[in-house]
Amino acid sequence: MVILQKWKFKVKSCCRKHMLFAKCLAIFKYIILSVSRTKGKKIEREICIYKNNLNAKEYNKILRDILFCNLYYNVNTSEYFLFGFERLSHMGRQEYIGDASVLEVCDKITNTELASNFRDKYKAYLNFKSFYKREVVQINGEIEAKDKVLDFITRHNSFIIKPLDQSKGKDVIKVDINEENFILENVISVITRLGKCLIEEEIITAGVLKEIHPASVNTIRFVTYVNKKKEVIPLYSFMRVGRGNKCVDNISSGGLFANVDLNTGIVSSPAFDLYGKKYIKHPDTDVQVLGQVMPRWNELKQIASEVAQIIPEQKLVGWDFAYTNDGWVIVEANHRPASRGVQISSGHGIREVIESTLIAELN
Amino acid sequence: MRKIVLKKELLKKMIRDNKLLIKLYVEYQYLKVYMNKGDAKELEKCIREFVSEEKQVDKKYIRRLKKDILYCKLVYFTSIEEYFFYRFEKLNEVGRNEYVGKLQLTEFWDKFNKDETHLIFLDKEKSYQAFKEYYGREVIKIESESDYSKFVEFTHKHPKFIMKPLADHKGNGVKIIECITENVEVETIFNECLTLSGGAVLEEVIIQAEEMAKFHPESVNTIRFVTFYNKGVLNKICAVIRMGRNGSCIDNACAGGIYATIDMETGIIDSPGTSHTMEKYFRHPDTNAQILGAQIPYWEELNELVEKVVIVVPEMKQVGWDFALTDNGWVIVEGNDRPMIQAFFHNRGLRREFQCMFDAYNA
């Protein structure tokens, strides 16, 4: 089994170096896909999300191209469409870097011990407490749940329940004790189901980020890199806003994202959804997204460079900031930040940025 | 001469249908460039301007680039500059097909605007007579000595006015003149008018509304609105805002102005301001007014006005209208029969928008 995986890895890295080899392997894969029905169906479904009404000839052409890009550029099917690979030449495609490659580099550059400072959300809170500017309590299961919740609601009327180590906004629930249908037992049972979880004081957002979609906590994802001289370099930033009545803004939960210019804090692109659709105005609130200026942007940059220096061994961190009346606060810190959003919204790949920083360091 | 040109077009059409012939033609053109003939000078100039210095040394790369440019010129009708504006290097054939080339448009205009009606826009006084009610200001023509009394009357009414050469475009020779009522002063200006090629047009100054003046108060900032009107169907193709720079009184891009593209549906500026040398500005460098994301005021009124003006001279199928906003609403500044505007859209091609035109051409 181990040998097989080693071989798989060898073939993969060979594909990324030699275009011809990747092309041959893509054709081989294509033949396998056309023979095996189940595998073919899966990728067909994925293609259908982004491209409808293709005839057989076009479909096969795109399928072959996707398989090739998957091997040579290491991008998956949805990235292929969202980055617009169908219309790019080799030179254009080279600028983009798939999430798989970024995460691969992230994992190589950190160790598990370091990563646990971020993966464990309570540990992260303790590390960066002064930037959270709110109370967070960890609950370790059913026994202490009731006491801790009861104690917590004496101080805060509403709170957020978050699983300890989930990402992508999964299972995040907002609780308001003043609401009519609030029943303590229900809350306890939710907490029991989740096992270990956090309860957090609700972040009361303000400013334009709130106006764009008031129902959710909208954030700025700000990615920093700490170089060998322990200087903090901001790599990119983008805005994420929620959609519908969801309280989270994560892209995988239906949220929208837009590029934010690092120098000025101006939203420099329309908002995009998961399927690459553009919105100049937010579809729910009709508030314009493009061109909005983020408040106190220099302050945000300052905070990011301060907080990144607390654990400088963690080279790459994606900070989620929300804007409140007290200024910018950290919502979360991510040690494996996805880079898809910024590449789609800005229309430029960031392979060069990643290569000149992280990959250069690896070598 | 005309016959030869026609034959050349036919020949090119033939070549385009055959892949082998295309290759041969490109090699032939490259040979011409190599011998310092044909497009050699322009190619060199553009490569010096747009290609980074380290790449310019790479002879193999430059050779491939030159061939690719010549190839695109033949197949996609793009001029050498356009090749760099649209970043064709990074696009494959699908991406390149999204763009409309300058040479193709010229071909269409030759066909569509060939009759005498298109002279109406070449003569600024004639176009004033035709569109008088939408001009919202007085315009007179000075051609000979006999126009002196007209001139004096005009200057009494409007001591500050704009002097434009009768038959010149791109903002050449446009001046703002403030008359002092002494006769000597008036006479020198009158004589200056007569020395201009083909005489001069004097226009009452447009006092623009605050909403548009904020970008650059010294110049009249205009919206270039391109329409295609054929058989009673109006297609609004694209719109661009242009503003002046460094206190200059004209906003033409070739005169150092800044332009930005407008979203047709909402009237929101959806690109950063761009100068002729491809520098990008989120805010106007002189006034600091934000360009990206700004809403063009009275966008619906402008759209209504466009619907009215296209009917006045329906023989003019494609027109690029320049509009300015005054306190009394939108007024026409001038019309252009060959609106070179497609090159202002760097991030997306306009073939879909221009398709209606090509369909009419083929019908």
Side-chain angles (χ1 to χ4, degrees):
Chain A
M1 202 60 195
V2 179
I3 298 170
L4 198 75
Q5 270 202 336
K6 250 188 183 171
W7 265 100
K8 223 175 169 180
F9 181 73
K10 266 190 184 171
V11 171
K12 265 191 179 173
S13 53
C14 190
C15 274
R16 273 172 231 168
K17 277 178 201 148
H18 306 287
M19 195 187 243
L20 194 69
F21 185 70
K23 268 189 181 158
C24 294
L25 200 65
I27 291 170
F28 177 66
K29 265 193 157 181
Y30 171 73
I31 294 167
I32 289 182
L33 274 183
S34 20
V35 176
S36 138
R37 262 202 194 154
T38 44
K39 276 187 181 171
K41 272 265 148 55
K42 196 186 153 209
I43 200 160
E44 193 184 332
R45 264 202 302 274
E46 280 184 328
I47 293 175
C48 279
I49 296 174
Y50 299 98
K51 268 248 136 83
N52 281 326
N53 52 43
L54 286 172
N55 62 32
K57 203 176 160 192
E58 288 167 340
Y59 174 78
N60 288 334
K61 198 179 161 195
I62 281 195
L63 180 58
R64 274 201 299 276
D65 200 26
I66 288 175
L67 293 172
F68 165 69
C69 289
N70 189 328
L71 291 166
Y72 189 68
Y73 304 102
N74 199 13
V75 294
N76 62 25
T77 312
S78 56
E79 279 166 346
Y80 175 88
F81 287 109
L82 293 172
F83 293 163
F85 267 32
E86 330 157 59
R87 56 190 287 279
L88 294 179
S89 68
H90 171 60
M91 198 176 169
R93 287 173 175 182
Q94 263 181 329
E95 289 182 352
Y96 288 86
I97 185 163
D99 268 352
S101 306
V102 176
L103 297 184
E104 210 172 87
V105 180
C106 285
D107 289 344
K108 267 188 200 163
I109 218 154
T110 64
N111 53 46
T112 36
E113 200 191 327
L114 209 56
S116 74
N117 281 320
F118 293 86
R119 184 175 291 124
D120 183 328
K121 285 180 182 172
Y122 192 63
K123 242 183 175 175
Y125 167 67
L126 295 177
N127 284 330
F128 312 113
K129 202 170 177 178
S130 59
F131 298 95
Y132 270 59
K133 292 184 185 167
R134 64 183 186 279
E135 194 185 353
V136 178
V137 174
Q138 183 178 354
I139 298 179
N140 294 314
E142 204 181 343
I143 313 157
E144 53 181 52
K146 198 165 180 180
D147 292 342
K148 279 198 173 170
V149 172
L150 279 175
D151 177 49
F152 198 80
I153 55 177
T154 56
R155 291 186 298 271
H156 310 290
N157 284 337
S158 59
F159 57 90
I160 307 278
I161 305 174
K162 263 186 199 173
L164 196 63
D165 51 5
Q166 287 278 17
S167 60
K168 296 180 179 172
K170 223 173 150 189
D171 290 329
V172 175
I173 299 156
K174 187 175 151 186
V175 180
D176 192 340
I177 58 168
N178 294 330
E179 257 176 32
E180 273 178 22
N181 51 8
F182 171 77
I183 301 165
L184 185 65
E185 274 64 39
N186 286 356
V187 175
I188 303 292
S189 73
V190 167
I191 292 173
T192 319
R193 185 170 57 80
L194 289 173
K196 282 187 177 179
C197 64
L198 298 179
I199 48 177
E200 290 190 19
E201 193 185 328
E202 197 195 349
I203 300 170
I204 309 294
T205 53
V208 274
L209 270 175
K210 184 188 179 182
E211 279 165 30
I212 290 171
H213 188 249
S216 56
V217 175
N218 307 316
T219 56
I220 296 286
R221 165 64 62 88
F222 198 94
V223 178
T224 58
Y225 164 73
V226 185
N227 68 8
K228 276 186 180 153
K229 292 176 198 158
K230 304 229 160 140
E231 289 163 342
V232 179
I233 300 165
L235 292 189
Y236 55 86
S237 59
F238 60 97
M239 177 183 75
R240 301 186 306 174
V241 289
R243 225 188 134 172
N245 47 17
K246 288 220 170 100
C247 65
V248 291
D249 63 351
N250 299 67
I251 299 164
S252 40
S253 305
L256 307 175
F257 53 95
N259 190 47
V260 178
D261 180 57
L262 267 181
N263 291 325
T264 53
I266 292 176
V267 179
S268 61
S269 80
F272 287 76
D273 67 8
L274 194 55
Y275 306 108
K277 199 170 174 224
K278 285 183 199 177
Y279 303 91
I280 288 183
K281 291 176 174 173
H282 193 289
D284 298 332
T285 56
D286 219 26
V287 175
Q288 190 178 328
V289 178
L290 177 80
Q292 292 286 6
V293 187
M294 290 301 125
R296 291 151 85 172
W297 185 249
N298 285 336
E299 218 174 291
L300 172 73
K301 287 206 277 194
Q302 184 60 35
I303 293 173
S305 73
E306 272 172 39
V307 73
Q309 263 158 351
I310 294 177
I311 307 181
E313 294 78 23
Q314 175 65 37
K315 297 285 171 194
L316 189 74
V317 187
W319 308 97
D320 286 347
F321 286 100
Y323 188 73
T324 67
N325 282 329
D326 299 335
W328 293 99
V329 298
I330 292 181
V331 180
E332 256 178 33
N334 302 278
H335 65 297
R336 299 169 90 221
S339 58
R340 204 189 273 190
V342 66
Q343 298 188 82
I344 297 165
S345 57
S346 69
H348 297 289
I350 58 160
R351 182 181 286 273
E352 211 190 320
V353 176
I354 299 284
E355 255 170 17
S356 63
T357 53
L358 290 167
I359 295 174
E361 195 156 300
L362 265 181
N363 297 332
Chain B
M1 194 61 201
R2 207 190 153 92
K3 261 186 186 169
I4 297 171
V5 173
L6 265 178
K7 268 186 190 162
K8 226 177 168 182
E9 284 309 314
L10 264 177
L11 198 70
K12 273 193 184 170
K13 213 173 181 183
M14 241 174 65
I15 292 169
R16 269 183 216 116
D17 293 338
N18 190 320
K19 272 186 185 167
L20 186 74
L21 283 180
I22 291 176
K23 266 192 181 161
L24 280 173
Y25 180 83
V26 170
E27 290 298 329
Y28 164 68
Q29 286 290 340
Y30 180 70
L31 201 72
K32 256 169 104 181
V33 168
Y34 192 76
M35 313 266 283
N36 244 333
K37 280 178 189 162
D39 295 324
K41 260 188 195 164
E42 213 190 333
L43 257 175
E44 288 298 331
K45 193 187 133 222
C46 283
I47 284 174
R48 240 179 290 132
E49 193 175 329
F50 293 106
V51 180
S52 66
E53 273 182 21
E54 46 192 287
K55 274 186 174 172
Q56 279 183 33
V57 192
D58 189 349
K59 275 188 182 161
K60 208 173 153 192
Y61 167 77
I62 292 293
R63 191 168 64 220
R64 224 183 35 225
L65 181 71
K66 277 182 182 171
K67 279 186 187 172
D68 197 32
I69 292 173
L70 294 169
Y71 171 81
C72 289
K73 199 174 164 190
L74 176 71
V75 178
Y76 303 104
F77 304 92
T78 49
S79 68
I80 298 167
E81 265 188 336
E82 276 181 312
Y83 180 91
F84 292 103
F85 282 158
Y86 305 152
R87 283 173 292 211
F88 261 26
E89 226 179 336
K90 290 175 187 168
L91 299 179
N92 64 14
E93 57 182 301
V94 180
R96 287 174 177 183
N97 253 326
E98 291 169 8
Y99 289 87
V100 179
K102 181 180 167 183
L103 306 174
Q104 193 172 17
L105 285 179
T106 323
E107 203 178 291
F108 280 103
W109 290 328
D110 284 343
K111 170 155 183 168
F112 268 130
N113 296 343
K114 66 182 167 194
D115 48 13
E116 272 181 16
T117 42
H118 91 275
L119 290 176
I120 202 167
F121 287 129
L122 288 181
D123 187 328
K124 292 189 165 101
E125 209 265 335
K126 259 191 198 163
S127 46
Y128 170 66
Q129 291 302 337
F131 296 97
K132 209 168 181 176
E133 59 175 309
Y134 305 110
Y135 262 61
R137 63 186 187 281
E138 200 178 336
V139 176
I140 60 161
K141 183 162 79 169
I142 304 294
E143 261 179 329
S144 61
E145 297 277 347
S146 56
D147 293 326
Y148 187 72
S149 59
K150 210 162 70 176
F151 178 81
V152 171
E153 192 190 334
F154 182 83
T155 50
H156 271 291
K157 241 199 273 175
H158 315 288
K160 194 177 172 188
F161 57 90
I162 296 178
M163 185 170 88
K164 290 180 183 177
L166 192 63
D168 209 337
H169 274 268
K170 298 187 178 176
N172 289 334
V174 176
K175 257 192 203 168
I176 294 186
I177 288 171
E178 253 174 290
C179 254
I180 307 159
T181 37
E182 277 170 41
N183 275 342
V184 190
E185 190 72 32
V186 172
E187 230 158 79
T188 46
I189 293 166
F190 181 71
N191 288 333
E192 198 184 334
C193 289
L194 291 179
T195 54
L196 287 172
S197 62
V201 169
L202 306 185
E203 288 188 19
E204 192 185 328
V205 176
I206 297 172
I207 312 277
Q208 63 181 336
E210 183 50 37
E211 291 103 315
M212 291 293 281
K214 69 176 181 188
F215 294 112
H216 188 251
E218 290 87 349
S219 60
V220 176
N221 307 314
T222 57
I223 307 281
R224 166 67 63 90
F225 204 112
V226 179
T227 57
F228 181 71
Y229 184 72
N230 188 30
K231 291 176 187 157
V233 183
L234 169 66
N235 288 291
K236 296 168 188 168
I237 292 181
C238 55
V240 166
I241 179 170
R242 303 187 303 167
M243 42 204 129
R245 187 96 208 257
N246 289 334
S248 161
C249 69
I250 44 175
D251 64 352
N252 299 56
C254 14
I258 293 175
Y259 57 85
T261 61
I262 298 170
D263 178 62
M264 292 302 275
E265 206 175 302
T266 54
I268 291 171
I269 299 177
D270 64 356
S271 84
T274 311
S275 73
H276 195 52
T277 47
M278 300 279 275
E279 281 157 287
K280 308 247 176 210
Y281 305 97
F282 288 124
R283 297 199 170 101
H284 195 289
D286 299 331
T287 57
N288 220 14
Q290 191 175 327
I291 298 170
L292 178 80
Q295 168 80 52
I296 303 296
Y298 305 105
W299 182 247
E300 272 170 33
E301 283 80 351
L302 179 62
N303 275 281
E304 281 163 23
L305 178 64
V306 165
E307 278 158 34
K308 279 186 216 155
V309 292
V310 288
I311 315 170
V312 178
V313 187
E315 296 84 6
M316 284 299 302
K317 295 202 158 108
Q318 176 142 51
V319 185
W321 307 94
D322 285 349
F323 292 105
L325 183 66
T326 67
D327 287 333
N328 299 324
W330 291 99
V331 296
I332 295 181
V333 179
E334 59 180 21
N336 298 277
D337 60 331
R338 292 177 172 227
M340 278 296 171
I341 201 178
Q342 80 291 347
F344 289 0
F345 291 77
H346 299 288
N347 293 329
R348 61 190 174 95
L350 288 178
R351 179 163 296 273
R352 208 155 36 104
E353 282 82 354
F354 275 104
Q355 195 55 46
C356 55
M357 208 172 97
F358 301 149
D359 290 344
Y361 177 76
N362 292 326

